[in-house]
């Protein structure tokens, strides 16, 4: 089957995500036939380096033998069973493992990131509801998030997301939430350090929480990097202060580590860099190494105990059909095993260093805010071309590189298995794409 036939059929039958379909009249789809390591191969054999880990999910390359074998093995015994009334070894092992890694001992599962956000919001609200007789806090029904935050696109998650292009159309459908100033260091005053700016933003958070805590259930935040906002990075001092403020005023802290979890920022979880334990942590994306849809919300004994009761209605009655799917759990266990067997966090330090050193060459271009954190590197292109993002995307594809700039921000979030030679290729292809698209 040629590329052309496949893409014609896809445009007829498939409604693609995050896409104005009409734009495919001028920007063709790429039918992908197979993946191997950091490379994706189209139907005619042309290859593309997957510099965005297929939307931030792939950790250890495509066609990874260990993850593949774990899924195959699981497939021979149990593909799925509902998790209400039943349990199975992969979900138990994964929950124990995640508890050990996060310090949060109760794991609730779903299939995507947005569902994890929904679950954390509902659990937080329901916790305050269940406890209201003891606490006298009867009105904790609201959520706050950061400006430019992204927490997913189902209605509840979209309500705490702050990206106009995704949100504005649906505004009449969404619950109200308030957005706190983003500590994104690019917004600091001239001469103000990232840390000083983070603390100044935290002061504004405190002021809001002080005035509104009686009605606040939770503050949801993407720790260290607001990825969808364009890899907006901020100082960990903000997280530390946010934790103190939330504890002081009895507001839950929900850490949305869906994008930054599993080693992306250099530590297993981004919160570790601020020595912060959230009340809820949302995980997805890299959790299965990019193999199968799975998400999890982990929480504390305190939250869990507030639902543990003779009353059915006090329980958390939320569910999804594929909750805790055994195949997905076995992919996640295999992924976590690779972190240990291959000493990934240690090795990534060197790799991140090489990535950062290599990409310094980009400063010869009109760019600013070249920034990095673990296995994420980003910069902002100074251009007046309003079509820069799409132009750069298609020029990079011609070079055999899958980049997906967010506005004028170009970023790399490659699989951890990327080699130095592949990083070099990423640089030269990016330079060519920039020359052709600025
Ligand atoms: C991707 C993402 C989500 C949503 O996950 P989906 O699986 O796409 O629903 C939520 N929060 C963050 C921080 C994300 O990056």
């Amino acid at each position: 089957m040629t590329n052309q036939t496949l893409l014609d059929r896809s445009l007829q039958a498939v409604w693609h995500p995050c896409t104005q379909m009409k734009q495919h009249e001028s920007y063709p789809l790429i039918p992908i036939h197979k993946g191997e390591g950091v490379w994706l191969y189209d139907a005619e054999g042309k290859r593309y380096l997957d510099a965005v880990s297929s939307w931030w999910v792939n950790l250890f390359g495509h066609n990874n033998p260990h993850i593949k074998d774990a899924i195959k093995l699981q497939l021979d015994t149990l593909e799925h069973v509902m998790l209400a009334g039943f349990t199975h070894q992969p979900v138990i092992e994964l929950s124990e493992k995640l508890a050990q890694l996060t310090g949060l001992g109760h794991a609730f599962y779903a299939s995507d990131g947005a569902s994890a956000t929904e679950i954390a919001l509902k659990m937080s609200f329901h916790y305050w509801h269940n406890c209201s007789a003891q606490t006298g806090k009867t009105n904790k029904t609201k959520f706050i998030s950061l400006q430019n935050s992204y927490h997913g696109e189902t209605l509840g998650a979209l309500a705490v997301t702050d990206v106009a292009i995704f949100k504005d159309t649906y505004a009449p459908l969404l619950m109200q939430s308030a957005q706190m100033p983003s500590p994104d260091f690019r917004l600091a005053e001239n001469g103000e350090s990232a840390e000083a700016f983070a603390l100044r933003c935290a002061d504004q958070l405190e002021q809001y929480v002080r005035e509104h805590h009686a009605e606040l259930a939770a503050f949801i935040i993407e720790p260290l990097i607001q990825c969808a906002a364009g890899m907006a990075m901020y100082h960990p001092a903000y997280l530390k202060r946010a934790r103190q403020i939330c504890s002081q005023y009895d507001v839950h802290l929900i850490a949305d580590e869906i994008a930054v979890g599993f080693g992306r920022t250099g530590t297993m979880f981004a919160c570790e860099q601020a020595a912060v334990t959230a009340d809820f942590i949302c995980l997805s994306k890299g959790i299965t190494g990019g193999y199968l849809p799975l998400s999890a919300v982990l929480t504390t004994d305190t939250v869990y105990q507030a639902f543990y009761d003779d009353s059915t209605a006090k329980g958390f009655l939320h569910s999804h059909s594929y909750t805790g799917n055994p195949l997905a759990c076995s992919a996640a266990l295999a992924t976590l095993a690779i972190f240990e067997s291959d000493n990934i966090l240690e090795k990534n330090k060197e790799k991140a260093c090489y990535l950062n050193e290599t990409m310094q060459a980009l400063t010869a271009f009109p760019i600013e805010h070249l920034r990095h954190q673990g296995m994420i590197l980003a910069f902002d292109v100074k251009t007046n071309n309003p079509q820069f993002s799409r132009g750069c995307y298609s020029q990079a594809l011609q070079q055999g590189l899958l980049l997906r700039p967010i506005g004028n921000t170009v970023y790399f979030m490659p699989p951890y298995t990327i080699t130095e030679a592949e990083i070099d290729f990423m640089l030269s292809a990016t330079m060519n794409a920039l020359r052709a698209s600025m």
Side-chain angles (χ1 to χ4, degrees):
M1 198 86 60
T2 63
N3 272 357
Q4 191 58 44
T5 339
L6 284 173
L7 70 86
D8 287 345
R9 284 170 57 194
S10 192
L11 290 177
Q12 285 301 316
V14 184
W15 197 336
H16 293 265
C18 201
T19 299
Q20 168 50 266
M21 291 298 291
K22 189 164 192 293
Q23 286 170 0
H24 279 310
E25 288 177 6
S26 42
Y27 290 89
L29 282 163
I30 317 273
I32 294 300
H33 172 59
K34 66 166 193 174
E36 184 66 49
V38 298
W39 299 97
L40 293 166
Y41 293 81
D42 74 13
E44 286 162 359
K46 181 171 165 60
R47 67 178 195 168
Y48 307 88
L49 193 153
D50 187 356
V52 300
S53 295
S54 289
W55 256 352
W56 319 344
V57 300
N58 192 296
L59 300 189
F60 299 122
H62 298 276
N63 198 21
N64 181 288
H66 303 291
I67 305 174
K68 199 165 67 171
D69 285 352
I71 297 170
K72 281 184 180 165
L73 202 63
Q74 182 57 39
L75 201 50
D76 283 335
T77 49
L78 176 68
E79 80 298 338
H80 186 67
V81 62
M82 62 187 187
L83 202 61
F86 297 87
T87 194
H88 50 82
Q89 193 160 338
V91 80
I92 297 167
E93 271 180 33
L94 180 60
S95 307
E96 289 171 351
K97 192 84 210 163
L98 291 173
Q100 188 194 325
L101 289 170
T102 62
L104 298 173
H106 306 276
F108 196 98
Y109 293 93
S111 309
D112 338 89
S115 307
T117 300
E118 301 282 344
I119 288 162
L121 298 177
K122 283 179 70 179
M123 265 188 190
S124 170
F125 163 81
H126 198 163
Y127 168 88
W128 295 114
H129 180 79
N130 280 352
C131 293
S132 60
Q134 298 97 293
T135 60
K137 299 176 196 289
T138 54
N139 196 27
K140 288 171 91 66
T141 59
K142 295 207 162 76
F143 301 100
I144 53 175
S145 61
L146 287 181
Q147 282 165 359
N148 304 322
S149 59
Y150 183 90
H151 300 291
E153 294 176 58
T154 52
L155 293 176
L158 195 57
V160 290
T161 286
D162 185 40
V163 180
I165 187 84
F166 300 144
K167 185 171 189 179
D168 286 359
T169 309
Y170 306 101
L173 304 181
L174 304 176
M175 67 176 169
Q176 295 291 313
S177 73
Q179 275 63 53
M180 303 296 113
S182 166
D184 174 358
F185 78 86
R186 293 172 300 176
L187 305 173
E189 299 287 342
N190 255 341
E192 187 179 29
S193 73
E195 180 171 16
F197 179 60
L199 291 171
R200 187 154 65 84
C201 292
D203 286 344
Q204 292 169 284
L205 170 70
E206 169 157 30
Q207 189 182 340
Y208 187 91
V209 174
R210 194 190 314 129
E211 286 166 17
H212 295 90
H213 64 90
E215 63 210 37
L216 290 182
F219 175 33
I220 181 165
I221 185 168
E222 296 155 87
L224 295 192
I225 310 179
Q226 296 181 282
C227 295
M231 304 300 153
M233 301 184 182
Y234 62 86
H235 196 279
Y238 185 84
L239 274 182
K240 221 182 198 54
R241 277 295 290 139
R243 172 70 277 180
Q244 289 163 350
I245 294 162
C246 286
S247 299
Q248 181 181 350
Y249 292 100
D250 257 349
V251 172
H252 287 141
L253 181 67
I254 302 173
D256 177 351
E257 296 236 10
I258 290 166
V260 294
F262 301 104
R264 265 300 157 197
T265 66
T267 43
M268 195 59 170
F269 299 107
C271 278
E272 293 169 26
Q273 294 184 45
V276 155
T277 304
D279 300 290
F280 301 88
I281 181 168
C282 301
L283 302 173
S284 188
K285 291 209 164 101
I287 193 171
T288 63
Y291 265 73
L292 289 164
L294 180 71
S295 63
V297 176
L298 294 135
T299 191
T300 60
D301 293 344
T302 310
V303 169
Y304 181 76
Q305 287 304 330
F307 290 78
Y308 200 83
D309 197 89
D310 292 326
S311 150
T312 302
K314 275 197 169 181
F316 191 61
L317 304 185
H318 188 101
S319 66
H320 297 284
S321 310
Y322 285 95
T323 296
N325 173 260
L327 295 170
C329 290
S330 61
L333 284 166
T335 300
L336 292 173
I338 296 173
F339 274 95
E340 285 176 21
S341 64
D342 294 7
N343 201 12
I344 294 299
L345 294 178
E346 237 2 84
K347 281 195 191 145
N348 276 1
K349 280 184 193 153
E350 282 165 42
K351 221 164 257 190
C353 226
Y354 187 81
L355 177 68
N356 186 35
E357 279 165 18
T358 306
M359 294 302 166
Q360 294 305 315
L362 290 165
T363 53
F365 287 78
I367 65 162
E368 58 185 341
H369 303 309
L370 182 65
R371 55 195 180 275
H372 67 105
Q373 177 72 254
M375 289 298 285
I376 300 179
L377 185 138
F379 57 91
D380 305 333
V381 175
K382 293 196 250 181
T383 169
N384 297 322
N385 176 6
Q387 301 296 322
F388 167 75
S389 157
R390 262 192 285 157
C392 180
Y393 168 76
S394 55
Q395 288 298 333
L397 282 177
Q398 286 188 28
Q399 300 286 325
L401 176 65
L402 169 46
L403 282 184
R404 216 183 135 94
I406 302 172
N408 286 359
T409 298
V410 177
Y411 70 89
F412 306 109
M413 209 200 262
Y416 303 159
T417 48
I418 193 166
T419 62
E420 294 192 352
E422 287 162 345
I423 291 174
D424 294 345
F425 172 82
M426 215 157 60
L427 172 68
S428 59
T430 301
M431 283 179 155
N432 289 340
L434 287 177
R435 277 185 205 108
S437 61
M438 294 192 1

